[in-house]
Amino acid sequence: MTRGTYMINLFKKSNTESAKEEINIFKSKEDFMFTFFNKGHHSWILKEMSYMRAFETIFCTLDFETIKQIWSPRHIAFIKAQGSLSCAIDSEEHLSFILCYPELLQLLRSGSPDIGIAVLFHELGHLYHRHNQKSIETLQAQFEADEFALFHGFGEDIISVINDYRHLEDNRKRIQNIQFKIQNNVIV
């Protein structure tokens, strides 16, 4: 499949094998990033330098094998939407979404964009661990997604985000889990 063919049908349904073939056309992380930023549904990212920097940070932090693992079963579209922070929606068919809400976009434009980047790593963690395909308790899924952010160097930043919602029991447990892993140098 040529790169031109790959870029034409942005939301075309494809099965898992097709998605794996498409991710394998990338010879490098840079090749993947070029295609990612040229997707029509990611044009909003290109319009704001702070968004560009945030996604470049994410892709430079992730190793190429992890990128292929996250993107190979299906493509991921980052979409601006309304809500609080962010949400990952993993489809079993053709495309998964990470919804980027105004609060997250404000964090990415702020003087502390790492907090927003941590939120995006958390959402990617849900897709990395394929939580939609598992019978897993919500709190355990949150732990795993938080640990994905922690593993990539954004543990303190994800704590900052969760801390804003610490009045919820599960969020206190999430903070304790991350702090325990940081203190005991247990990075999964």
Side-chain angles (χ1 to χ4, degrees), residues 49-113:
M49 185 58 72
S50 55
Y51 302 156
M52 278 284 298
R53 277 192 226 114
F55 281 91
E56 286 174 346
T57 298
I58 290 167
F59 295 136
C60 289
T61 303
L62 291 170
D63 63 64
F64 191 45
E65 289 305 311
T66 302
I67 289 172
K68 290 194 293 188
Q69 183 174 346
I70 294 172
W71 264 265
S72 68
R74 66 197 57 82
H75 302 289
I76 301 170
F78 291 81
I79 307 294
K80 286 172 72 172
Q82 294 298 314
S84 179
L85 285 177
S86 185
C87 175
I89 301 172
D90 198 8
S91 161
E92 292 185 19
E93 296 219 2
H94 66 291
L95 189 63
S96 295
F97 300 92
I98 293 184
L99 304 180
C100 301
Y101 299 136
E103 189 177 356
L104 171 62
L105 300 177
Q106 183 178 358
L107 287 171
L108 294 175
R109 288 190 309 267
S110 75
S112 302

Side-chain angles (χ1 to χ4, degrees), residues 98-163:
I98 293 184
L99 304 180
C100 301
Y101 299 136
E103 189 177 356
L104 171 62
L105 300 177
Q106 183 178 358
L107 287 171
L108 294 175
R109 288 190 309 267
S110 75
S112 302
D114 286 355
I115 294 171
I117 293 169
V119 171
L120 290 171
F121 267 108
H122 172 91
E123 298 305 340
L124 286 169
H126 286 299
L127 301 179
Y128 176 82
H129 288 290
R130 309 277 184 256
H131 287 148
N132 76 314
Q133 299 172 12
K134 296 178 180 178
S135 177
I136 186 171
E137 290 191 27
T138 302
L139 184 58
Q140 185 59 38
Q142 295 292 16
F143 283 167
E144 289 180 4
D146 291 341
E147 291 164 5
F148 188 80
L150 170 64
F151 178 79
H152 288 94
F154 292 88
E156 293 293 338
D157 300 300
I158 201 68
I159 288 173
S160 293
V161 174
I162 302 167
N163 202 35

Side-chain angles (χ1 to χ4, degrees), residues 6-62:
Y6 176 76
M7 293 176 65
I8 290 172
N9 297 313
L10 299 175
F11 288 96
K12 179 185 146 201
K13 283 192 176 185
S14 61
N15 62 28
T16 302
E17 288 305 311
S18 169
K20 286 180 182 175
E21 288 172 14
E22 289 175 358
I23 196 72
N24 287 332
I25 68 166
F26 302 118
K27 302 204 182 339
S28 67
K29 188 188 305 189
E30 291 74 21
D31 192 28
F32 166 80
M33 289 172 61
F34 175 82
T35 302
F36 175 88
F37 286 118
N38 282 291
K39 294 272 190 186
H41 50 268
H42 293 147
S43 63
W44 65 272
I45 296 169
L46 300 175
K47 293 178 182 174
E48 178 83 37
M49 185 58 72
S50 55
Y51 302 156
M52 278 284 298
R53 277 192 226 114
F55 281 91
E56 286 174 346
T57 298
I58 290 167
F59 295 136
C60 289
T61 303
L62 291 170

